[in-house]
Amino acid sequence: MRVDKVKLINFLSHDETTVTFKGDINVIIGHNGAGKSSIIDAINFALFKATRGKIDDMVKRGKASALVELELKMGNSLVKIQRSIPSRKELLFINDKLIARSAKEVNKKVEELGLDSRVVLTTMIVRQGEIENIFENLSDILKKVMMIDNLEKLTESNGRIRSIIMEYDAKIKASQDSEKRLKELREERDSKDKEILNLEQLIRKLDDELSALKQEESRLATEVNQLQEKAKIFHGLKTGLDRVERELSKLDQERKDLANIPQEIERLEKRQRKLKEIVEKKPDIIDLENAEKSLKDLNNRLKKLVQERDKIHADLKKKKELERFHIEYEKYKKNYDELKHIHEDFISTSRSLSDKRKSLNEIETKLRALPVTRKIDEIQKEIEEISQKINDLNTNMGAINSELDQIGKSMNALISAKEDKCPVCGGPLDELHKKQLLEQYNSREKELKERLKGLKEIQDSLQERMRRLNLELKNAQNNQSKAENYKEQISNLSREISELQEKVNRLQSLEEKYREASDKLKELDSSEREYLSLLGVNEEELDRREEEIATINHEIEEVSAKIQQLSSRLGGLTREDIGKAEKELRDLEWALSELIRKKGRVEQISERIESLLKQRDELRKEIEDLSFDQLELDRKRKDRDALRVQIETLQRDIGEKRGKLHEIIERRKQLESEITELTEKVKQVQDLSRAKERLEKLRRILSEGGLQSYLISTLKGRIENNLNDIMSMFNMSFARVILTFQESRSLSGKIDIQALDQNGQSLPIGMLSGGEKIAIALGLRLAIARSLMGSLGFMILDEPTIHLDSQRRAELLSVIQESMRVVPQIIVVTHDEEVLRIAEYVIRVEKVGGKSEVIEGVNQ
Ligand SMILES: Nc1ncnc2c1ncn2[C@@H]1O[C@H](COP(=O)(O)OP(=O)(O)OP(=O)(O)O)[C@@H](O)[C@H]1O
């Protein structure tokens, strides 16, 4: 088996690195901290999930997850293992076929491929500077790879086997207690058997007593039943007799009460006849009442007619008095209607006249209120004058400005003059002349600016005055146009007012006539209304009333005669008298019918008394024949009840005894099952003792002198043979290496390593050269691996030369080279450039900007 390729993603200092191992001796070289060992860590992680610290610390800082992919060549097969942190991806492929897909499956498969983690990590992968440690740690390494450490754990005083033996001991002791308990239980069972026998006998005796009592009770119960039957008949007869006697005495009393009925009937019939005579006069009373009501109605009608006639009479008189006022009213009404439209015209004309006068007053007030202004001509004249002044001023200021302009230009020419000729006067130009000229210009310029300032102030005040005059002119023009407008309105209104006044004067006399008619109509209004209300009253109406009065008087006379006739027939009888007689008659007829009914009842009573007397005699005879004795019944009942109480007590007693018997039987069953169980337990003691003995024997065998010594003796020979085989390939001077276990049966003692020379002389390991020691150390590791795994695939050495002097380094390198004969692939991690001497394939690792980078190549 060879390591072919490993890929690291976010693993320790690597971002993404792929390393291939193309040579037989592959050297991973780089400075301290470059990321060399990280590549070996990746191989360990992929194979066994083995890490140098906590698993999460293997993820590159700042990254969330890491992935390692390892490819191994096994004959013609390519095994690929993928593992991630966190453990989401754990896969194993063989020739790209997915074989395992979980951590558990991958671990199992790796072991099946012959890669035992204990062996590989302690022999095939050698950590920094640890090559020779094997001489010190050989027994520990052997214990570990042979798993003897687990065996020790199993057999030590607090190990699993010992604890099972102790469990057995406890069970055996418990079984011994069981024997004692079994004896007690058997004794209790025998005593329970006796109790059961006694109780069963007692229950049988009590059952016999109970059945005798029950027989007696049943005989008594039959007698009581017969007597109770008789008692029922006796009480029935007695009740019947009582009822008959009670009815007889009641009927007798009733018959006595009804003895004077016939006399009473006669008295009432006499009174009935008298009352009927009175009641028969009821129609006369009704006729009389009707006649009296008619008379009252006639008198009322007569009174009303007389009142109406008198009113018509008075109205006719009033109508005649009002006739002359009506004629006058008619006359004024005609005038009033004729003058009404003149009056309306007068009123509207007067209202217009008053409105116009009001408007005239308002306009005259507005005209007076207009502000007093100067005359427009006057203002316009002043404006023209001011305008002329401003023009003159502008001309003056223009002249000054052009002079100032000229002075400026001359001064500039003078200042910038280069020639000797004066640009102003044309004469020669010297500094004095130039200065004099400039002074003149300056003073003239100052003077002109002063003047210009004065003129500017005047110009501003004139322009302000001009602005005000224009405003005044505008106001004056405005007022003038308003005043003209008002005056025109006043003249129009004055004309209209005089026309209206003239019309009012004309209508005035007719208006007075209208008012006179109107006043008169108001004065006559109430008499006219009264007259109109009496318009329908006339003489014919009066005559009609007189006729009606005469007819009613005649009807009154007739009704009065009828009333007199009926009163004498009734002879003073009133409606109340007849009502009372009717009521008395009704009551009397009811009482009479009751008496007649009772008269019939007397006959019925006599018949009933007869039949009851007969019944009473029969019942008395039946009772005598029955000959029932209540005392006898009571006595027998008492005897029967006493017997029942006795039976119940006995039954309860038997029940209790049976309950007790049941309890004892149950307890006996329980005892029986406990006894069976305990008997079984007691029997198990022998089995347990045998099992304990066997375990103790196993423990002895597994502990030091037993299995261990067997394993050691077997393995020792194999390791020695393999070691000497390997050593022969290393071309050493000595002939053989011998391992001696100080304690031949265990790995607890030291393991002595001796080398034998060609003559059979032995040398302890300490006496050998450095190279020889390294060779034996490496050979030992390879020999152990080969003994346990059969064949060797690869060996990894991490910094093997560290702490070695140059001679030892050279020796180590030649041993590594020679190891190739035993192990087909070697991977060496180093920072030592000297190691490159033996390298077939070089993997250079460097840290660039915090991440490890790899450059590979053949012997670089
Ligand atoms: N989780 C991590 N993320 C990033 N870098 C890490 C992580 N853990 C360790 N390192 C750094 O990775 C670097 C490489 O460590 P590694 O042991 O591979 O170096 P090396 O080349 O074998 O060095 P030496 O020769 O000193 O043993 C170190 O600088 C270490 O500090």
Side-chain angles (χ1 to χ4, degrees):
M1 176 192 301
R2 291 172 70 97
V3 180
D4 203 41
K5 195 194 271 182
V6 64
K7 186 172 178 183
L8 298 79
I9 297 175
N10 298 334
F11 192 80
L12 291 169
S13 56
H14 294 262
D15 270 9
E16 184 168 348
T17 302
T18 305
V19 184
T20 49
F21 301 94
K22 293 192 175 138
D24 292 341
I25 299 179
N26 301 277
V27 175
I28 303 175
I29 191 159
H31 297 294
N32 290 121
K36 307 183 291 293
S37 302
S38 303
I39 296 169
I40 307 305
D41 285 326
I43 295 172
N44 287 343
F45 181 71
L47 286 172
F48 310 116
K49 283 186 94 168
T51 58
R52 45 170 122 156
K54 279 196 277 173
I55 195 160
D56 290 340
D57 292 341
M58 307 304 277
V59 179
K60 186 159 192 229
R61 279 191 297 271
K63 303 289 180 182
S65 62
L67 179 76
V68 173
E69 213 174 274
L70 176 70
E71 285 181 18
L72 301 167
K73 264 217 179 95
M74 302 185 87
N76 291 331
S77 303
L78 182 71
V79 178
K80 188 154 88 181
I81 303 167
Q82 285 182 341
R83 294 200 200 245
S84 68
I85 310 169
S87 136
R88 277 194 288 264
K89 200 179 198 187
E90 309 243 354
L91 307 170
L92 188 144
F93 303 82
I94 297 180
N95 292 336
D96 290 333
K97 187 172 169 209
L98 185 60
I99 303 294
R101 60 187 78 229
S102 68
K104 205 170 153 199
E105 282 176 22
V106 174
N107 292 346
K108 190 164 167 255
K109 197 70 208 168
V110 168
E111 204 169 323
E112 279 170 19
L113 291 172
L115 292 164
D116 183 320
S117 64
R118 287 164 174 261
V119 179
V120 174
L121 292 173
T122 48
T123 59
M124 291 163 66
I125 299 175
V126 186
R127 286 269 159 210
Q128 282 190 4
E130 286 181 355
I131 293 179
E132 288 180 41
N133 287 4
I134 194 158
F135 299 135
E136 301 301 317
N137 304 336
L138 185 56
S139 57
D140 288 341
I141 290 172
L142 285 178
K143 269 187 193 172
K144 207 168 175 186
V145 297
M146 288 161 70
M147 288 192 251
I148 283 172
D149 48 353
N150 278 353
L151 218 56
E152 279 178 352
K153 274 190 205 126
L154 196 68
T155 55
E156 63 202 10
S157 61
N158 54 355
R160 182 75 190 116
I161 296 180
R162 180 73 190 131
S163 71
I164 296 172
I165 290 171
M166 278 160 76
E167 273 171 37
Y168 283 0
D169 267 344
K171 280 186 187 161
I172 290 165
K173 192 169 171 303
S175 304
Q176 281 159 359
D177 294 344
S178 300
E179 270 178 51
K180 199 172 141 218
R181 175 81 186 126
L182 187 60
K183 192 168 166 251
E184 285 168 8
L185 289 175
R186 279 183 178 140
E187 280 169 10
E188 194 185 341
R189 182 184 61 185
D190 294 347
S191 113
K192 292 291 171 211
D193 280 345
K194 272 186 204 139
E195 275 184 59
I196 290 168
L197 204 67
N198 290 341
L199 264 174
E200 279 174 347
Q201 275 173 1
L202 184 63
I203 289 168
R204 268 198 297 281
K205 194 173 144 257
L206 291 173
D207 276 344
D208 292 347
E209 268 177 43
L210 180 67
S211 78
L213 283 174
K214 274 186 176 167
Q215 260 180 20
E216 181 61 13
E217 190 269 345
S218 133
R219 189 185 60 75
L220 266 173
T222 319
E223 282 180 22
V224 168
N225 282 346
Q226 284 164 356
L227 279 169
Q228 275 174 343
E229 277 306 308
K230 255 190 187 179
K232 235 193 256 169
I233 298 165
F234 172 78
H235 289 304
L237 292 169
K238 190 82 175 62
T239 318
L241 184 62
D242 289 349
R243 190 173 30 79
V244 168
E245 280 175 343
R246 263 199 315 277
E247 194 180 345
L248 266 172
S249 98
K250 209 173 122 204
L251 287 172
D252 198 37
Q253 183 58 43
E254 199 179 344
R255 192 163 56 177
K256 278 179 197 152
D257 293 347
L258 295 172
N260 57 350
I261 293 281
Q263 295 91 314
E264 187 62 10
I265 289 174
E266 199 179 324
R267 188 184 65 77
L268 288 183
E269 279 174 345
K270 205 171 149 199
R271 176 69 184 151
Q272 186 189 34
R273 279 193 296 280
K274 207 165 174 199
L275 285 169
K276 273 184 179 167
E277 275 172 25
I278 296 170
V279 169
E280 275 162 8
K281 287 187 178 163
K282 194 174 177 183
D284 287 346
I285 280 282
I286 292 167
D287 286 351
L288 178 64
E289 279 174 1
N290 288 340
E292 280 171 348
K293 192 170 174 289
S294 300
L295 184 63
K296 200 174 164 194
D297 290 348
L298 286 168
N299 278 328
N300 283 341
R301 273 178 62 200
L302 180 65
K303 195 175 161 194
K304 204 173 156 218
L305 283 170
V306 169
Q307 278 172 356
E308 282 175 8
R309 182 198 60 194
D310 292 350
K311 187 167 183 303
I312 293 168
H313 204 270
D315 284 351
L316 276 174
K317 196 175 159 211
K318 185 75 185 170
K319 192 180 172 188
K320 269 195 192 110
E321 281 169 16
L322 290 171
E323 229 142 41
R324 84 186 153 83
F325 294 111
H326 172 65
I327 293 162
E328 205 176 348
Y329 182 88
E330 289 283 284
K331 188 182 95 193
Y332 282 112
K333 179 78 170 95
K334 196 170 164 243
N335 283 352
Y336 176 84
D337 290 342
E338 281 167 4
L339 291 170
K340 196 169 180 191
H341 67 281
I342 304 270
H343 164 70
E344 279 158 9
D345 194 9
F346 177 78
I347 291 295
S348 85
T349 310
S350 299
R351 199 171 293 133
S352 301
L353 182 59
S354 146
D355 290 347
K356 297 283 178 198
R357 278 194 178 129
K358 208 169 150 204
S359 303
L360 181 63
N361 267 343
E362 282 169 6
I363 292 166
E364 279 172 348
T365 311
K366 280 184 189 168
L367 183 61
R368 279 195 297 279
L370 282 176
V372 181
T373 53
R374 279 200 292 160
K375 282 188 182 150
I376 290 173
D377 299 352
E378 225 173 89
I379 301 165
Q380 280 172 337
K381 198 174 161 213
E382 194 179 343
I383 286 173
E384 273 167 30
E385 280 167 16
I386 301 281
S387 172
Q388 188 53 50
K389 277 182 191 168
I390 290 172
N391 281 343
D392 294 349
L393 208 58
N394 286 343
T395 316
N396 272 346
M397 284 167 82
I400 291 169
N401 275 328
S402 66
E403 192 178 340
L404 275 171
D405 214 26
Q406 194 53 48
I407 289 170
K409 279 181 190 158
S410 301
M411 280 169 86
N412 281 341
L414 207 56
I415 291 163
S416 56
K418 297 238 166 43
E419 296 165 18
D420 295 341
K421 194 176 163 190
C422 175
V424 181
C425 62
L429 182 67
D430 56 17
E431 274 312 305
L432 186 67
H433 181 61
K434 197 174 182 177
K435 195 179 166 195
Q436 280 170 348
L437 276 175
L438 282 173
E439 274 171 9
Q440 279 172 21
Y441 280 139
N442 276 332
S443 101
R444 180 62 184 161
E445 189 184 48
K446 200 174 165 193
E447 187 191 333
L448 284 172
K449 277 184 180 167
E450 277 303 312
R451 273 178 61 197
L452 199 60
K453 194 178 162 200
L455 290 172
K456 179 84 177 94
E457 278 167 12
I458 295 166
Q459 188 192 37
D460 288 348
S461 89
L462 283 173
Q463 273 169 350
E464 175 59 23
R465 177 68 190 144
M466 187 71 154
R467 192 183 63 76
R468 286 191 189 180
L469 281 170
N470 278 329
L471 203 69
E472 194 183 351
L473 179 65
K474 204 173 161 195
N475 285 341
Q477 283 168 340
N478 211 5
N479 283 342
Q480 193 184 33
S481 95
K482 272 187 191 166
E484 278 164 6
N485 184 16
Y486 290 154
K487 279 176 192 160
E488 194 185 333
Q489 284 183 39
I490 289 167
S491 123
N492 288 340
L493 280 169
S494 302
R495 188 174 29 81
E496 282 172 33
I497 287 167
S498 79
E499 281 168 14
L500 286 169
Q501 186 61 59
E502 206 179 306
K503 191 177 175 187
V504 166
N505 293 345
R506 239 185 305 118
L507 292 173
Q508 186 68 45
S509 61
L510 292 170
E511 170 67 11
E512 274 160 19
K513 274 189 188 166
Y514 169 80
R515 282 197 186 138
E516 187 198 355
S518 165
D519 293 347
K520 214 59 184 163
L521 283 176
K522 273 182 204 150
E523 199 181 298
L524 291 169
D525 187 58
S526 69
S527 65
E528 177 65 7
R529 274 173 206 273
E530 200 176 356
Y531 177 78
L532 288 175
S533 72
L534 298 172
L535 212 58
V537 182
N538 51 38
E539 290 291 338
E540 288 81 44
E541 189 75 8
L542 188 64
D543 294 346
R544 242 190 336 271
R545 290 290 185 282
E546 290 291 8
E547 269 172 35
E548 278 176 11
I549 288 168
T551 312
I552 296 238
N553 275 333
H554 178 67
E555 281 177 22
I556 286 171
E557 274 169 25
E558 278 178 4
V559 172
S560 298
K562 192 180 176 187
I563 286 170
Q564 203 145 16
Q565 202 181 0
L566 285 167
S567 297
S568 73
R569 256 212 323 256
L570 283 166
L573 262 180
T574 64
R575 179 173 260 281
E576 284 79 47
D577 296 336
I578 291 172
K580 271 183 200 160
E582 277 178 334
K583 190 177 176 300
E584 192 185 342
L585 185 60
R586 271 198 306 278
D587 294 346
L588 186 137
E589 278 171 349
W590 183 82
L592 204 52
S593 76
E594 264 305 281
L595 285 173
I596 291 162
R597 193 182 58 73
K598 280 181 183 169
K599 200 173 151 201
R601 173 80 183 137
V602 173
E603 282 153 22
Q604 280 175 0
I605 289 170
S606 303
E607 278 171 24
R608 179 71 184 147
I609 287 175
E610 197 101 335
S611 134
L612 284 172
L613 284 172
K614 216 167 137 199
Q615 273 185 38
R616 187 180 65 182
D617 295 343
E618 281 168 10
L619 284 168
R620 277 180 182 164
K621 187 162 182 309
E622 276 183 58
I623 287 170
E624 215 178 276
D625 292 349
L626 193 64
S627 77
F628 166 71
D629 182 357
Q630 180 65 42
L631 285 175
E632 189 191 359
L633 174 59
D634 293 347
R635 201 178 55 245
K636 293 220 161 143
R637 263 192 194 144
K638 216 168 142 195
D639 292 349
R640 182 202 59 187
D641 292 345
L643 260 179
R644 279 184 180 170
V645 171
Q646 245 177 304
I647 289 168
E648 267 173 33
T649 316
L650 198 57
Q651 274 174 334
R652 209 175 306 122
D653 198 16
I654 293 170
E656 277 168 17
K657 297 273 181 305
R658 286 223 162 90
K660 199 165 174 206
L661 179 65
H662 177 73
E663 267 175 35
I664 297 168
I665 290 170
E666 285 302 308
R667 174 65 190 147
R668 196 196 173 284
K669 271 190 209 157
Q670 193 188 347
L671 283 168
E672 197 62 59
S673 86
E674 277 182 48
I675 286 164
T676 319
E677 209 176 296
L678 276 175
T679 313
E680 194 56 35
K681 256 192 191 166
V682 169
K683 241 168 70 196
Q684 276 178 7
V685 174
Q686 293 159 351
D687 300 345
L688 282 171
S689 304
R690 269 200 299 279
K692 187 187 147 194
E693 272 168 31
R694 276 201 297 273
L695 273 178
E696 276 171 343
K697 198 171 162 194
L698 179 67
R699 190 165 164 248
R700 271 199 307 283
I701 293 168
L702 291 181
S703 61
E704 289 177 357
L707 186 66
Q708 279 195 46
S709 92
Y710 167 75
L711 284 176
I712 289 163
S713 64
T714 321
L715 196 66
K716 176 179 168 286
R718 261 206 278 165
I719 294 173
E720 252 177 10
N721 286 342
N722 276 320
L723 176 60
N724 285 312
D725 191 25
I726 291 165
M727 291 320 293
S728 70
M729 292 179 206
F730 280 2
N731 204 11
M732 293 285 143
S733 58
F734 46 84
R736 224 176 134 64
V737 180
I738 299 169
L739 305 177
T740 314
F741 291 73
Q742 269 181 5
E743 288 182 29
S744 60
R745 297 160 70 83
S746 91
L747 287 170
S748 315
K750 205 170 168 305
I751 301 171
D752 191 30
I753 305 167
Q754 299 265 341
L756 295 185
D757 67 12
Q758 306 298 339
N759 305 323
Q761 295 289 317
S762 68
L763 270 175
I765 195 90
M767 297 305 289
L768 299 178
S769 77
E772 287 167 336
K773 276 192 214 157
I774 286 172
I776 294 176
L778 268 183
L780 246 177
R781 287 181 191 275
L782 295 172
I784 296 167
R786 196 152 81 174
S787 305
L788 293 165
M789 293 174 46
S791 67
L792 294 171
F794 59 89
M795 183 163 73
I796 298 173
L797 300 162
D798 193 358
E799 295 286 8
T801 60
I802 202 159
H803 313 310
L804 298 184
D805 59 29
S806 60
Q807 194 192 333
R808 293 283 290 281
R809 271 207 301 277
E811 286 166 348
L812 170 72
L813 294 181
S814 66
V815 170
I816 292 173
Q817 261 180 323
E818 283 170 353
S819 301
M820 289 306 304
R821 298 194 206 171
V822 187
V823 58
Q825 187 187 31
I826 295 176
I827 298 169
V828 184
V829 176
T830 187
H831 64 277
D832 186 354
E833 293 284 330
E834 201 184 330
V835 181
L836 291 181
R837 189 159 53 78
I838 61 161
E840 279 177 21
Y841 192 74
V842 179
I843 297 141
R844 219 170 253 287
V845 185
E846 274 172 28
K847 193 91 157 284
V848 183
K851 72 172 187 183
S852 298
E853 284 183 359
V854 166
I855 306 162
E856 297 177 18
V858 179
N859 205 0
Q860 288 178 339

